[in-house]
mmCIF file of all heavy atoms in Angstrom:
data_model
loop_
_atom_site.group_PDB
_atom_site.id
_atom_site.type_symbol
_atom_site.label_atom_id
_atom_site.label_comp_id
_atom_site.label_asym_id
_atom_site.label_seq_id
_atom_site.Cartn_x
_atom_site.Cartn_y
_atom_site.Cartn_z
ATOM 1 N N ASP A 1242 12.267 3.596 -5.212
ATOM 2 C CA ASP A 1242 11.144 3.406 -5.986
ATOM 3 C C ASP A 1242 10.691 4.624 -6.724
ATOM 4 O O ASP A 1242 10.351 4.663 -7.868
ATOM 5 C CB ASP A 1242 9.932 2.787 -5.234
ATOM 6 C CG ASP A 1242 10.345 1.399 -4.699
ATOM 7 O OD1 ASP A 1242 11.121 0.724 -5.236
ATOM 8 O OD2 ASP A 1242 9.627 1.140 -3.612
ATOM 9 N N TYR A 1243 10.659 5.628 -5.911
ATOM 10 C CA TYR A 1243 10.228 7.032 -6.421
ATOM 11 C C TYR A 1243 11.081 7.438 -7.659
ATOM 12 O O TYR A 1243 10.482 7.755 -8.655
ATOM 13 C CB TYR A 1243 10.230 8.056 -5.401
ATOM 14 C CG TYR A 1243 10.048 9.407 -5.888
ATOM 15 C CD1 TYR A 1243 8.799 10.039 -6.156
ATOM 16 C CD2 TYR A 1243 11.179 10.356 -5.910
ATOM 17 C CE1 TYR A 1243 8.585 11.185 -6.652
ATOM 18 C CE2 TYR A 1243 10.899 11.638 -6.445
ATOM 19 C CZ TYR A 1243 9.627 12.132 -6.724
ATOM 20 O OH TYR A 1243 9.442 13.401 -7.230
ATOM 21 N N TYR A 1244 12.436 7.382 -7.367
ATOM 22 C CA TYR A 1244 13.394 7.753 -8.475
ATOM 23 C C TYR A 1244 13.221 6.862 -9.706
ATOM 24 O O TYR A 1244 13.332 7.218 -10.734
ATOM 25 C CB TYR A 1244 14.831 7.884 -7.962
ATOM 26 C CG TYR A 1244 15.079 9.211 -7.211
ATOM 27 C CD1 TYR A 1244 15.231 9.095 -5.871
ATOM 28 C CD2 TYR A 1244 15.037 10.401 -7.976
ATOM 29 C CE1 TYR A 1244 15.555 10.268 -5.184
ATOM 30 C CE2 TYR A 1244 15.397 11.417 -7.258
ATOM 31 C CZ TYR A 1244 15.526 11.404 -5.762
ATOM 32 O OH TYR A 1244 15.920 12.658 -5.174
ATOM 33 N N SER A 1245 13.033 5.624 -9.460
ATOM 34 C CA SER A 1245 12.770 4.586 -10.585
ATOM 35 C C SER A 1245 11.647 4.960 -11.373
ATOM 36 O O SER A 1245 11.588 5.007 -12.637
ATOM 37 C CB SER A 1245 12.769 3.157 -9.976
ATOM 38 O OG SER A 1245 12.439 2.366 -11.051
ATOM 39 N N ILE A 1246 10.503 5.381 -10.750
ATOM 40 C CA ILE A 1246 9.274 5.691 -11.293
ATOM 41 C C ILE A 1246 9.435 6.926 -12.205
ATOM 42 O O ILE A 1246 9.055 7.052 -13.380
ATOM 43 C CB ILE A 1246 8.094 5.872 -10.344
ATOM 44 C CG1 ILE A 1246 7.714 4.558 -9.699
ATOM 45 C CG2 ILE A 1246 6.897 6.511 -11.024
ATOM 46 C CD1 ILE A 1246 6.915 4.610 -8.432
ATOM 47 N N ILE A 1247 10.096 7.924 -11.681
ATOM 48 C CA ILE A 1247 10.175 9.223 -12.402
ATOM 49 C C ILE A 1247 11.205 9.123 -13.532
ATOM 50 O O ILE A 1247 11.156 9.913 -14.434
ATOM 51 C CB ILE A 1247 10.401 10.473 -11.489
ATOM 52 C CG1 ILE A 1247 11.676 10.487 -10.785
ATOM 53 C CG2 ILE A 1247 9.259 10.677 -10.593
ATOM 54 C CD1 ILE A 1247 12.041 11.827 -10.114
ATOM 55 N N SER A 1248 12.266 8.124 -13.347
ATOM 56 C CA SER A 1248 13.171 8.022 -14.357
ATOM 57 C C SER A 1248 12.494 7.289 -15.585
ATOM 58 O O SER A 1248 12.775 7.716 -16.716
ATOM 59 C CB SER A 1248 14.340 7.011 -13.920
ATOM 60 O OG SER A 1248 15.016 7.716 -12.862
ATOM 61 N N LYS A 1249 11.554 6.391 -15.317
ATOM 62 C CA LYS A 1249 10.994 5.659 -16.320
ATOM 63 C C LYS A 1249 9.771 6.505 -16.933
ATOM 64 O O LYS A 1249 9.289 6.241 -18.069
ATOM 65 C CB LYS A 1249 10.385 4.335 -15.913
ATOM 66 C CG LYS A 1249 11.578 3.411 -15.568
ATOM 67 C CD LYS A 1249 11.040 2.149 -14.923
ATOM 68 C CE LYS A 1249 12.129 1.263 -14.423
ATOM 69 N NZ LYS A 1249 11.870 0.253 -13.645
ATOM 70 N N LYS A 1250 9.370 7.456 -16.244
ATOM 71 C CA LYS A 1250 8.134 8.300 -16.739
ATOM 72 C C LYS A 1250 8.606 9.577 -17.222
ATOM 73 O O LYS A 1250 8.830 9.732 -18.485
ATOM 74 C CB LYS A 1250 7.207 8.365 -15.458
ATOM 75 C CG LYS A 1250 6.010 9.197 -15.784
ATOM 76 C CD LYS A 1250 5.150 9.319 -14.468
ATOM 77 C CE LYS A 1250 4.204 10.435 -14.504
ATOM 78 N NZ LYS A 1250 3.673 10.808 -13.186
ATOM 79 N N THR A 1251 8.796 10.479 -16.382
ATOM 80 C CA THR A 1251 9.060 11.904 -16.748
ATOM 81 C C THR A 1251 10.382 12.101 -17.526
ATOM 82 O O THR A 1251 10.578 12.653 -18.527
ATOM 83 C CB THR A 1251 8.858 12.983 -15.669
ATOM 84 O OG1 THR A 1251 7.746 12.621 -14.999
ATOM 85 C CG2 THR A 1251 8.956 14.308 -16.090
ATOM 86 N N ALA A 1252 11.511 11.465 -16.844
ATOM 87 C CA ALA A 1252 12.814 11.681 -17.350
ATOM 88 C C ALA A 1252 13.002 11.096 -18.761
ATOM 89 O O ALA A 1252 13.664 11.640 -19.646
ATOM 90 C CB ALA A 1252 13.871 11.163 -16.397
ATOM 91 N N SER A 1253 12.312 9.894 -18.940
ATOM 92 C CA SER A 1253 12.415 9.313 -20.198
ATOM 93 C C SER A 1253 11.800 10.037 -21.316
ATOM 94 O O SER A 1253 12.245 9.979 -22.502
ATOM 95 C CB SER A 1253 11.965 7.789 -20.126
ATOM 96 O OG SER A 1253 10.523 7.751 -19.963
ATOM 97 N N LEU A 1254 10.702 10.675 -21.047
ATOM 98 C CA LEU A 1254 10.033 11.560 -21.977
ATOM 99 C C LEU A 1254 10.894 12.738 -22.363
ATOM 100 O O LEU A 1254 11.006 13.036 -23.586
ATOM 101 C CB LEU A 1254 8.743 12.021 -21.382
ATOM 102 C CG LEU A 1254 7.908 12.960 -22.176
ATOM 103 C CD1 LEU A 1254 7.370 12.349 -23.442
ATOM 104 C CD2 LEU A 1254 6.619 13.401 -21.556
ATOM 105 N N PHE A 1255 11.597 13.399 -21.424
ATOM 106 C CA PHE A 1255 12.507 14.464 -21.677
ATOM 107 C C PHE A 1255 13.600 13.961 -22.540
ATOM 108 O O PHE A 1255 14.126 14.606 -23.425
ATOM 109 C CB PHE A 1255 13.120 15.078 -20.388
ATOM 110 C CG PHE A 1255 12.138 16.063 -19.799
ATOM 111 C CD1 PHE A 1255 10.838 15.683 -19.241
ATOM 112 C CD2 PHE A 1255 12.591 17.346 -19.663
ATOM 113 C CE1 PHE A 1255 10.098 16.664 -18.752
ATOM 114 C CE2 PHE A 1255 11.766 18.310 -19.084
ATOM 115 C CZ PHE A 1255 10.468 17.971 -18.543
ATOM 116 N N ILE A 1256 14.192 12.757 -22.292
ATOM 117 C CA ILE A 1256 15.265 12.166 -22.989
ATOM 118 C C ILE A 1256 14.883 11.954 -24.490
ATOM 119 O O ILE A 1256 15.595 12.325 -25.371
ATOM 120 C CB ILE A 1256 15.821 10.807 -22.382
ATOM 121 C CG1 ILE A 1256 16.454 11.188 -21.020
ATOM 122 C CG2 ILE A 1256 16.781 10.134 -23.305
ATOM 123 C CD1 ILE A 1256 16.813 9.877 -20.244
#
Side-chain angles (χ1 to χ4, degrees):
D1242 294 335
Y1243 171 77
Y1244 281 109
S1245 177
I1246 291 166
I1247 67 173
S1248 293
K1249 293 173 184 169
K1250 183 181 155 193
T1251 311
S1253 66
L1254 179 63
F1255 276 63
I1256 291 168

